[in-house]
């Protein structure tokens, strides 16, 4: 049997070309999903701006759902499911008043190559302040405020996942990265992350740190940051729909 370079190239092409084609097709599907989510959020924000501009004459909760839902559905006909939940109007938190918020839940099911299918889910919260003509007395918390901020009854929640609030000593919280403002003390206590090149970050930047010795501080985009917990007031957590952690009781 004679071996030839041409024969090797043919075998390699037969193996790798289908994989390359599948990768390109899959990338196109994911781009479609991301584009759909961006379009959903843009429509919700645009519609929220219209609602905010009319809030001087009060906001009707019964109209928010239909108007925002209609805008999202009209702009994204490929959605399989879409609903708005947790609609709250004209409330106040620790920083501002005349707030309105809602959560978007949308789903799209795509048929992938080789007979596979997958459902993609969007879970996005929208919050805005109405143009009521009332001066907003709340001020941005700023860098100094972040370093000295204390809540009345602090609990920890995972903003990007989870439905429970936790106590500081909960094992779920201990295993997570926490948001902090980069200071010289953090630079002395933690190493910089070589994966995300965090040593180039300047004092005052927002970083994520794990507890314990010989740990590093990371950028928010670092692949090491899988879960991060944020501290908020217990009442605010309950208002947002979080329940007590069954492991630590939320305290």
């Amino acid at each position: 049997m004679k071996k030839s370079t041409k024969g090797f190239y043919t075998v390699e092409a037969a193996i790798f070309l289908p994989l390359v084609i599948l990768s390109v097709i899959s990338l196109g599907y994911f781009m479609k999903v991301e584009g759909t989510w961006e379009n959903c959020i843009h429509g919700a924000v645009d519609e929220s701006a219209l609602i905010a501009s009319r809030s001087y004459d009060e906001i009707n909760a019964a109209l928010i759902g239909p108007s925002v839902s209609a805008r999202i559905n009209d702009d994204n006909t490929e959605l399989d499911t879409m609903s708005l939940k947790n609609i709250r109007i004209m409330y106040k938190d620790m920083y501002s008043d005349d707030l309105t918020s809602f959560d978007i839940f949308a789903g799209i099911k795509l048929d992938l190559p080789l007979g596979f299918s997958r459902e993609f889910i969007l879970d996005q919260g929208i919050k805005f302040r109405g143009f009521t003509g009332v001066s907003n007395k709340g001020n941005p918390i700023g860098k100094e405020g972040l370093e000295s901020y204390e809540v009345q009854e602090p609990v920890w929640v995972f903003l990007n996942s989870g439905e429970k609030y936790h106590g500081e000593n909960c094992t779920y919280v201990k295993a997570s990265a926490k948001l902090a403002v980069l200071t010289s003390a953090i630079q002395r206590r933690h190493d910089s992350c070589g994966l995300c090149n965090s040593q180039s970050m300047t004092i005052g930047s927002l970083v994520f740190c794990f507890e314990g010795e010989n740990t590093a501080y990371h950028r928010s985009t670092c692949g090491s940051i899988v879960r991060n917990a944020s501290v908020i007031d217990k009442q605010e957590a309950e208002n947002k729909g979080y329940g007590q952690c069954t492991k630590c009781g939320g305290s």
Side-chain angles (χ1 to χ4, degrees), residues 8-47:
F8 286 127
Y9 287 159
T10 301
V11 172
E12 290 177 355
I15 295 173
F16 291 106
L17 186 59
L19 297 177
V20 173
I21 294 175
L22 286 174
S23 299
V24 172
I25 294 174
S26 299
L27 180 61
Y29 281 114
F30 289 122
M31 290 177 63
K32 177 182 179 180
V33 171
E34 288 300 319
T36 301
W37 294 162
E38 184 177 352
N39 206 31
C40 288
I41 295 172
H42 172 76
V45 171
D46 193 36
E47 198 67 27

Side-chain angles (χ1 to χ4, degrees), residues 31-49 64-65 67-84 102-108 120-127:
M31 290 177 63
K32 177 182 179 180
V33 171
E34 288 300 319
T36 301
W37 294 162
E38 184 177 352
N39 206 31
C40 288
I41 295 172
H42 172 76
V45 171
D46 193 36
E47 198 67 27
S48 296
I64 292 179
S67 62
V68 177
S69 296
R71 172 65 183 272
I72 294 176
N73 285 320
D74 289 345
D75 292 348
N76 305 276
T77 56
E78 64 275 19
L79 290 177
D80 294 305
T81 59
M82 207 294 296
S83 63
L84 298 187
F102 55 85
D103 296 325
I104 306 171
F105 290 86
I108 180 173
F120 296 87
I121 301 296
L122 172 67
D123 182 357
Q124 178 68 46
I126 303 291
K127 176 164 54 171

